[in-house]
Each structure stands twice: as C-alpha cells, then as structure tokens.
Coordinates of all heavy atoms in Angstrom, one line a residue:
M1 N 14.3 9.9 -9.5 CA 13.4 9.9 -8.2 C 12.1 9.2 -8.4 O 11.6 8.5 -7.5 CB 13.3 11.4 -7.8 CG 12.6 11.5 -6.5 SD 13.7 10.8 -5.2 CE 13.7 12.1 -4.0
A2 N 11.5 9.4 -9.6 CA 10.2 8.7 -9.8 C 10.3 7.2 -9.7 O 9.4 6.6 -9.2 CB 9.6 9.2 -11.1
R3 N 11.4 6.7 -10.3 CA 11.6 5.2 -10.3 C 11.7 4.7 -8.9 O 11.2 3.7 -8.5 CB 12.8 4.9 -11.1 CG 12.5 5.2 -12.6 CD 13.3 4.3 -13.5 NE 13.4 4.8 -14.9 CZ 12.4 4.9 -15.7 NH1 11.2 4.6 -15.3 NH2 12.6 5.3 -17.0
L4 N 12.5 5.5 -8.1 CA 12.6 5.1 -6.6 C 11.3 5.0 -6.0 O 10.9 4.1 -5.2 CB 13.5 6.0 -5.9 CG 13.8 5.8 -4.4 CD1 14.4 4.4 -4.2 CD2 14.7 6.9 -3.8
A5 N 10.5 6.1 -6.2 CA 9.1 6.1 -5.7 C 8.2 4.9 -6.1 O 7.6 4.3 -5.4 CB 8.4 7.4 -6.0
D6 N 8.4 4.6 -7.4 CA 7.6 3.5 -8.0 C 8.0 2.2 -7.4 O 7.2 1.3 -7.1 CB 7.9 3.4 -9.5 CG 7.2 4.6 -10.3 OD1 6.3 5.2 -9.7 OD2 7.6 4.7 -11.5
N7 N 9.4 2.0 -7.1 CA 9.8 0.8 -6.5 C 9.3 0.7 -5.1 O 8.9 -0.4 -4.6 CB 11.4 0.7 -6.5 CG 11.9 0.5 -7.9 OD1 11.3 0.0 -8.8 ND2 13.2 0.9 -8.1
M8 N 9.4 1.7 -4.3 CA 8.9 1.8 -3.0 C 7.3 1.5 -3.0 O 6.9 0.7 -2.1 CB 9.1 3.1 -2.3 CG 8.6 3.1 -0.8 SD 9.3 1.8 0.2 CE 10.8 2.4 0.6
E9 N 6.6 2.1 -3.9 CA 5.2 1.7 -4.0 C 4.9 0.3 -4.3 O 4.0 -0.3 -3.7 CB 4.5 2.6 -5.0 CG 4.5 4.1 -4.7 CD 4.0 4.9 -5.9 OE1 3.7 4.4 -7.0 OE2 3.8 6.2 -5.7
A10 N 5.7 -0.3 -5.1 CA 5.5 -1.6 -5.5 C 5.8 -2.6 -4.3 O 5.0 -3.6 -4.1 CB 6.4 -2.0 -6.6
V11 N 6.8 -2.2 -3.5 CA 7.1 -3.0 -2.3 C 5.9 -2.9 -1.2 O 5.4 -3.9 -0.7 CB 8.4 -2.5 -1.6 CG1 8.5 -3.1 -0.2 CG2 9.6 -2.9 -2.5
Q12 N 5.4 -1.6 -1.1 CA 4.4 -1.5 -0.1 C 3.1 -2.2 -0.6 O 2.4 -2.8 0.3 CB 4.0 0.0 0.0 CG 5.1 0.8 0.8 CD 4.9 2.3 0.8 OE1 4.5 2.9 -0.2 NE2 5.3 2.9 1.8
L13 N 2.7 -2.1 -1.9 CA 1.6 -2.8 -2.3 C 1.7 -4.3 -2.2 O 0.7 -5.0 -1.9 CB 1.2 -2.3 -3.8 CG 0.8 -0.9 -3.9 CD1 0.6 -0.5 -5.4 CD2 -0.4 -0.6 -3.1
G14 N 2.9 -4.9 -2.5 CA 3.2 -6.2 -2.4 C 3.0 -6.7 -1.0 O 2.5 -7.8 -0.8
M15 N 3.5 -6.0 -0.1 CA 3.4 -6.3 1.3 C 1.9 -6.3 1.7 O 1.5 -7.2 2.5 CB 4.2 -5.4 2.2 CG 5.7 -5.6 2.0 SD 6.7 -4.4 2.9 CE 6.2 -4.5 4.5
G16 N 1.2 -5.4 1.2 CA -0.3 -5.3 1.6 C -1.0 -6.6 1.0 O -1.9 -7.1 1.6
T17 N -0.6 -6.9 -0.2 CA -1.2 -8.2 -0.8 C -0.9 -9.4 0.0 O -1.9 -10.2 0.3 CB -0.7 -8.3 -2.2 OG1 -1.1 -7.2 -3.0 CG2 -1.3 -9.6 -2.8
Q18 N 0.3 -9.5 0.5 CA 0.7 -10.7 1.4 C -0.1 -10.6 2.7 O -0.6 -11.6 3.2 CB 2.2 -10.7 1.6 CG 3.0 -11.1 0.4 CD 4.5 -11.0 0.6 OE1 4.9 -10.5 1.7 NE2 5.2 -11.5 -0.3
L19 N -0.2 -9.4 3.3 CA -0.8 -9.3 4.5 C -2.4 -9.6 4.4 O -2.9 -10.2 5.3 CB -0.7 -7.9 5.1 CG -1.4 -7.5 6.4 CD1 -0.8 -8.5 7.5 CD2 -1.1 -6.1 6.8
L20 N -3.0 -9.2 3.3 CA -4.4 -9.6 3.1 C -4.6 -11.0 3.0 O -5.5 -11.6 3.6 CB -4.8 -8.9 1.8 CG -6.3 -9.0 1.5 CD1 -7.2 -8.5 2.6 CD2 -6.7 -8.3 0.2
G21 N -3.7 -11.7 2.4 CA -3.8 -13.2 2.3 C -3.7 -13.8 3.7 O -4.4 -14.7 4.1
H22 N -2.7 -13.3 4.5 CA -2.6 -13.7 5.8 C -3.9 -13.5 6.7 O -4.3 -14.4 7.4 CB -1.3 -13.1 6.5 CG -1.2 -13.5 7.9 ND1 -0.8 -14.8 8.4 CD2 -1.3 -12.8 9.1 CE1 -0.8 -14.8 9.7 NE2 -1.0 -13.6 10.2
A23 N -4.4 -12.3 6.5 CA -5.6 -11.9 7.2 C -6.8 -12.8 6.9 O -7.5 -13.3 7.8 CB -5.9 -10.4 6.9
R24 N -6.9 -13.1 5.6 CA -8.0 -14.0 5.2 C -7.9 -15.4 5.9 O -8.9 -16.0 6.4 CB -8.0 -14.2 3.7 CG -8.6 -13.0 3.0 CD -8.6 -13.2 1.5 NE -9.2 -12.1 0.8 CZ -8.8 -11.7 -0.3 NH1 -7.7 -12.2 -1.0 NH2 -9.4 -10.6 -0.9
S25 N -6.7 -15.9 6.0 CA -6.4 -17.2 6.5 C -6.7 -17.1 8.0 O -7.4 -18.0 8.6 CB -5.0 -17.6 6.4 OG -4.7 -17.8 5.0
L26 N -6.2 -16.1 8.7 CA -6.4 -15.9 10.1 C -7.9 -15.8 10.5 O -8.4 -16.4 11.5 CB -5.6 -14.7 10.7 CG -5.5 -14.7 12.2 CD1 -4.5 -15.7 12.7 CD2 -4.9 -13.3 12.6
V27 N -8.6 -15.1 9.7 CA -10.1 -14.9 10.0 C -10.8 -16.2 9.8 O -11.8 -16.5 10.6 CB -10.7 -13.7 9.1 CG1 -12.2 -13.7 9.2 CG2 -10.1 -12.4 9.5
A28 N -10.3 -17.0 9.0 CA -11.0 -18.3 8.7 C -10.7 -19.4 9.8 O -11.4 -20.3 9.9 CB -10.6 -18.9 7.4
E29 N -9.7 -19.1 10.6 CA -9.2 -20.1 11.6 C -10.2 -20.0 12.8 O -10.7 -19.0 13.2 CB -7.8 -19.8 12.1 CG -6.8 -20.2 11.0 CD -5.4 -19.9 11.6 OE1 -5.2 -19.9 12.8 OE2 -4.5 -19.7 10.7
Q30 N -10.3 -21.1 13.5 CA -11.0 -21.2 14.8 C -10.0 -21.0 15.9 O -8.8 -21.4 15.8 CB -11.7 -22.6 15.0 CG -12.8 -22.8 13.9 CD -14.0 -21.9 14.1 OE1 -14.3 -21.6 15.3 NE2 -14.5 -21.5 13.0
G31 N -10.4 -20.4 17.0 CA -9.6 -20.3 18.2 C -8.5 -19.2 18.1 O -7.5 -19.3 18.8
V32 N -8.6 -18.3 17.3 CA -7.6 -17.2 17.2 C -7.8 -16.3 18.4 O -8.9 -15.9 18.7 CB -7.8 -16.4 15.8 CG1 -6.7 -15.3 15.8 CG2 -7.6 -17.3 14.7
S33 N -6.7 -15.9 19.0 CA -6.8 -15.1 20.2 C -7.1 -13.6 19.9 O -6.8 -13.2 18.8 CB -5.5 -15.2 21.1 OG -4.5 -14.5 20.4
A34 N -7.5 -12.9 20.9 CA -7.8 -11.5 20.8 C -6.5 -10.8 20.5 O -6.4 -9.8 19.7 CB -8.4 -10.9 22.0
D35 N -5.4 -11.2 21.1 CA -4.1 -10.6 20.8 C -3.6 -10.8 19.4 O -3.1 -9.8 18.8 CB -3.0 -11.2 21.7 CG -3.1 -10.7 23.2 OD1 -3.7 -9.7 23.4 OD2 -2.5 -11.4 24.1
E36 N -3.9 -11.9 18.8 CA -3.5 -12.2 17.4 C -4.3 -11.2 16.5 O -3.9 -10.7 15.5 CB -3.8 -13.6 17.0 CG -2.8 -14.6 17.6 CD -3.1 -16.0 17.4 OE1 -4.2 -16.4 17.9 OE2 -2.3 -16.7 16.7
F37 N -5.7 -11.1 16.8 CA -6.5 -10.2 16.1 C -6.1 -8.7 16.2 O -6.0 -7.9 15.2 CB -8.0 -10.3 16.4 CG -8.7 -11.4 15.6 CD1 -9.3 -12.4 16.2 CD2 -8.8 -11.4 14.2 CE1 -9.9 -13.5 15.6 CE2 -9.4 -12.3 13.5 CZ -10.0 -13.5 14.2
R38 N -5.6 -8.3 17.4 CA -5.2 -6.9 17.6 C -3.8 -6.7 16.8 O -3.7 -5.6 16.2 CB -5.0 -6.6 19.1 CG -6.2 -6.1 19.8 CD -5.9 -5.6 21.1 NE -5.4 -6.7 22.1 CZ -6.4 -7.4 22.8 NH1 -7.6 -7.2 22.6 NH2 -5.9 -8.3 23.6
Y39 N -3.0 -7.7 16.8 CA -1.7 -7.6 16.0 C -2.1 -7.5 14.5 O -1.5 -6.6 13.8 CB -0.9 -8.8 16.3 CG 0.5 -8.7 15.6 CD1 1.5 -7.9 16.1 CD2 0.6 -9.4 14.4 CE1 2.7 -7.9 15.4 CE2 1.9 -9.3 13.7 CZ 2.9 -8.6 14.2 OH 4.1 -8.5 13.5
L40 N -3.0 -8.4 14.1 CA -3.4 -8.2 12.7 C -4.0 -6.9 12.3 O -3.7 -6.3 11.3 CB -4.4 -9.4 12.4 CG -5.1 -9.4 10.9 CD1 -3.9 -9.6 9.9 CD2 -6.1 -10.5 10.8
A41 N -4.9 -6.4 13.2 CA -5.5 -5.1 13.0 C -4.4 -4.0 12.9 O -4.5 -3.0 12.0 CB -6.5 -4.7 14.0
A42 N -3.5 -4.0 13.7 CA -2.4 -3.0 13.7 C -1.6 -3.1 12.3 O -1.4 -2.1 11.7 CB -1.4 -3.2 14.8
R43 N -1.3 -4.3 11.9 CA -0.6 -4.5 10.6 C -1.5 -4.0 9.4 O -1.0 -3.4 8.5 CB -0.2 -5.9 10.4 CG 0.8 -6.5 11.5 CD 2.1 -5.8 11.7 NE 2.1 -4.5 12.3 CZ 2.1 -4.3 13.7 NH1 2.0 -5.3 14.6 NH2 2.1 -3.1 14.1
L44 N -2.8 -4.4 9.5 CA -3.7 -3.9 8.4 C -3.8 -2.4 8.4 O -3.9 -1.9 7.3 CB -5.0 -4.6 8.6 CG -5.1 -6.1 8.3 CD1 -6.4 -6.7 8.7 CD2 -4.9 -6.4 6.8
T45 N -3.8 -1.8 9.5 CA -3.9 -0.4 9.6 C -2.7 0.3 9.0 O -2.8 1.3 8.2 CB -4.0 0.1 11.1 OG1 -5.2 -0.5 11.6 CG2 -4.1 1.6 11.2
E46 N -1.5 -0.3 9.3 CA -0.3 0.3 8.7 C -0.3 0.1 7.1 O 0.1 1.0 6.4 CB 1.0 -0.5 9.3 CG 1.2 -0.2 10.7 CD 2.2 -1.1 11.3 OE1 2.7 -2.1 10.7 OE2 2.5 -0.9 12.5
S47 N -0.8 -1.1 6.7 CA -0.8 -1.3 5.3 C -1.7 -0.4 4.6 O -1.6 0.1 3.5 CB -1.2 -2.8 5.1 OG -1.2 -3.1 3.7
L48 N -2.9 -0.2 5.2 CA -3.9 0.7 4.6 C -3.3 2.2 4.5 O -3.5 2.9 3.5 CB -5.2 0.8 5.4 CG -6.3 1.7 5.0 CD1 -6.7 1.4 3.6 CD2 -7.5 1.6 5.9
R49 N -2.6 2.6 5.6 CA -2.0 3.9 5.6 C -1.0 3.9 4.3 O -1.0 5.0 3.6 CB -1.2 4.1 6.8 CG -0.4 5.4 6.9 CD 0.7 5.5 7.9 NE 1.7 4.4 7.6 CZ 2.3 3.6 8.4 NH1 2.2 3.8 9.7 NH2 3.2 2.7 8.0
D50 N -0.2 2.9 4.1 CA 0.7 2.9 3.0 C 0.0 2.9 1.6 O 0.4 3.7 0.7 CB 1.6 1.7 3.0 CG 2.6 1.6 4.2 OD1 2.8 2.7 4.8 OD2 3.1 0.6 4.6
V51 N -1.1 2.2 1.6 CA -1.8 2.2 0.2 C -2.4 3.5 0.0 O -2.5 4.0 -1.2 CB -2.9 1.1 0.3 CG1 -3.9 1.1 -0.8 CG2 -2.2 -0.4 0.3
L52 N -3.0 4.2 1.0 CA -3.6 5.5 0.8 C -2.4 6.5 0.4 O -2.7 7.4 -0.5 CB -4.2 6.0 2.1 CG -5.5 5.3 2.4 CD1 -6.0 5.7 3.8 CD2 -6.5 5.5 1.3
R53 N -1.2 6.4 0.9 CA -0.1 7.2 0.5 C 0.2 7.0 -1.0 O 0.4 8.0 -1.7 CB 1.1 7.0 1.4 CG 1.1 7.5 2.7 CD 2.3 7.3 3.4 NE 2.4 7.7 4.8 CZ 3.2 7.4 5.7 NH1 4.1 6.6 5.5 NH2 3.1 7.9 7.0
V54 N 0.2 5.8 -1.4 CA 0.5 5.4 -2.8 C -0.6 6.1 -3.7 O -0.3 6.7 -4.7 CB 0.5 3.9 -3.0 CG1 0.5 3.6 -4.5 CG2 1.7 3.3 -2.3
A55 N -1.9 5.9 -3.2 CA -3.0 6.5 -4.0 C -2.9 8.0 -4.1 O -3.1 8.5 -5.2 CB -4.3 6.0 -3.4
E56 N -2.6 8.6 -3.0 CA -2.4 10.1 -3.1 C -1.3 10.5 -3.9 O -1.4 11.5 -4.7 CB -2.2 10.6 -1.6 CG -3.5 10.5 -0.8 CD -3.2 10.9 0.7 OE1 -2.2 11.5 1.0 OE2 -4.1 10.6 1.6
S57 N -0.1 9.8 -3.8 CA 1.0 10.2 -4.7 C 0.7 10.0 -6.1 O 1.0 10.9 -6.9 CB 2.1 9.3 -4.2 OG 3.3 9.5 -5.0
R58 N 0.1 8.9 -6.5 CA -0.2 8.7 -7.9 C -1.2 9.7 -8.3 O -1.2 10.2 -9.5 CB -0.7 7.3 -8.1 CG 0.4 6.2 -7.9 CD 0.0 4.9 -8.3 NE 1.1 4.0 -8.1 CZ 0.9 2.7 -8.4 NH1 -0.1 2.1 -8.9 NH2 2.0 1.9 -8.2
G59 N -2.2 10.1 -7.5 CA -3.1 11.1 -7.9 C -2.5 12.4 -8.2 O -2.8 13.1 -9.2
R60 N -1.6 12.8 -7.3 CA -0.8 14.0 -7.6 C 0.0 14.0 -8.9 O 0.0 14.9 -9.7 CB 0.1 14.4 -6.5 CG -0.5 14.9 -5.2 CD 0.5 15.4 -4.2 NE 1.4 14.4 -3.7 CZ 1.2 13.7 -2.7 NH1 0.1 13.7 -2.0 NH2 2.1 12.8 -2.3
R61 N 0.6 12.8 -9.1 CA 1.4 12.7 -10.4 C 0.5 12.6 -11.6 O 0.8 13.2 -12.6 CB 2.2 11.3 -10.3 CG 3.4 11.5 -9.3 CD 4.0 10.2 -8.9 NE 4.5 9.4 -10.0 CZ 4.8 8.1 -9.9 NH1 4.7 7.6 -8.7 NH2 5.3 7.5 -10.9
L62 N -0.7 12.1 -11.5 CA -1.6 12.0 -12.6 C -2.1 13.5 -12.9 O -2.2 13.9 -14.1 CB -2.8 11.1 -12.4 CG -2.5 9.7 -12.4 CD1 -3.7 8.8 -12.0 CD2 -2.2 9.2 -13.9
R63 N -2.4 14.3 -11.9 CA -2.8 15.7 -12.1 C -1.7 16.4 -12.7 O -2.0 17.2 -13.6 CB -3.2 16.3 -10.8 CG -4.7 15.9 -10.3 CD -5.1 16.7 -9.2 NE -4.3 16.6 -8.0 CZ -4.4 15.6 -7.1 NH1 -5.2 14.6 -7.2 NH2 -3.6 15.6 -6.0
A64 N -0.5 16.2 -12.3 CA 0.7 16.9 -12.9 C 0.8 16.6 -14.4 O 1.2 17.4 -15.2 CB 1.9 16.6 -12.1
C65 N 0.6 15.3 -14.7 CA 0.7 14.9 -16.1 C -0.4 15.4 -16.9 O -0.2 15.7 -18.1 CB 0.7 13.3 -16.1 SG 2.2 12.6 -15.6
G66 N -1.5 15.7 -16.4 CA -2.6 16.3 -17.1 C -2.2 17.7 -17.4 O -2.6 18.2 -18.5
E67 N -1.6 18.4 -16.5 CA -1.2 19.8 -16.7 C 0.0 19.9 -17.6 O 0.1 20.9 -18.3 CB -0.9 20.4 -15.3 CG -2.1 20.5 -14.4 CD -1.7 20.9 -13.0 OE1 -0.5 21.1 -12.7 OE2 -2.6 20.9 -12.1
E68 N 0.9 19.0 -17.5 CA 2.1 19.0 -18.3 C 2.3 17.7 -19.0 O 3.2 16.9 -18.8 CB 3.4 19.2 -17.4 CG 3.2 20.6 -16.6 CD 4.4 20.8 -15.7 OE1 5.4 20.1 -15.9 OE2 4.3 21.6 -14.8
A69 N 1.5 17.3 -20.0 CA 1.5 16.1 -20.6 C 2.7 15.8 -21.5 O 3.0 14.7 -21.9 CB 0.2 16.0 -21.6
A70 N 3.6 16.8 -21.7 CA 4.7 16.5 -22.5 C 5.9 15.9 -21.7 O 6.9 15.4 -22.3 CB 5.2 17.9 -23.0
E71 N 5.8 15.8 -20.4 CA 6.8 15.2 -19.6 C 7.0 13.7 -19.8 O 5.9 13.0 -19.9 CB 6.6 15.5 -18.1 CG 6.8 16.9 -17.7 CD 6.9 17.2 -16.2 OE1 7.1 16.2 -15.5 OE2 6.5 18.2 -15.8
A72 N 8.2 13.2 -19.8 CA 8.4 11.8 -20.1 C 7.9 10.9 -18.9 O 7.5 9.8 -19.2 CB 9.9 11.6 -20.3
D73 N 8.0 11.4 -17.7 CA 7.5 10.6 -16.6 C 6.0 10.2 -16.7 O 5.6 9.2 -16.1 CB 7.8 11.3 -15.2 CG 9.2 11.4 -14.9 OD1 10.0 10.6 -15.4 OD2 9.5 12.2 -14.0
C74 N 5.3 11.0 -17.4 CA 3.8 10.7 -17.5 C 3.6 9.5 -18.3 O 2.5 8.9 -18.1 CB 3.1 11.9 -18.2 SG 3.2 13.4 -17.2
D75 N 4.5 9.1 -19.2 CA 4.3 7.8 -20.0 C 4.3 6.6 -19.1 O 3.7 5.6 -19.5 CB 5.4 7.7 -21.0 CG 5.3 8.9 -22.0 OD1 4.3 9.4 -22.3 OD2 6.4 9.1 -22.7
D76 N 5.0 6.7 -18.0 CA 5.1 5.5 -17.1 C 3.8 5.3 -16.2 O 3.7 4.3 -15.6 CB 6.3 5.6 -16.1 CG 7.6 5.6 -17.0 OD1 7.6 5.1 -18.1 OD2 8.6 6.1 -16.5
L77 N 2.9 6.3 -16.1 CA 1.8 6.2 -15.2 C 0.7 5.4 -15.7 O 0.3 5.2 -16.7 CB 1.3 7.6 -14.8 CG 2.3 8.4 -14.0 CD1 1.7 9.8 -13.7 CD2 2.5 7.7 -12.6

C-alpha cells in the first residue's frame, strides 16, 4: 500500500512541476486573457491541494516512523 501511495505522490508532484513551468511561461506572455489566468489559477489551486496532501501524508508517516523505527517502510522515507 505504501508503494502505491508513493507512486501516486510522485505523479501528483510531477504534474505540479509541469504546471509550474506552464504557469511561468503564461505569466511571462503578453496578451493573456483573464479566462486563461482563471483557468491557470484553478489548476494551480488543485495542484497546491495535492502537494499539501502529499506533505501531510509524509508528515504522518515520518511521525509513525519516529514512534516505530523498526518498521521496514521507514527506510524508504
């Protein structure tokens, strides 16, 4: 289960990285419409939500590893 979560986190973080690159390009462009900026803001909001979920999940896992350092899953963190 932990590996599945790790894979999902990697996908979410990768998508966030790609979106950030797109956002930087869009912000640098001239003549971008308000609709395009709203769409970008919506996608950035979704990505931020995902990144916060990843951070919270990893924080919980790190705390659990601190409490039970003998578990094998802790080695992967």
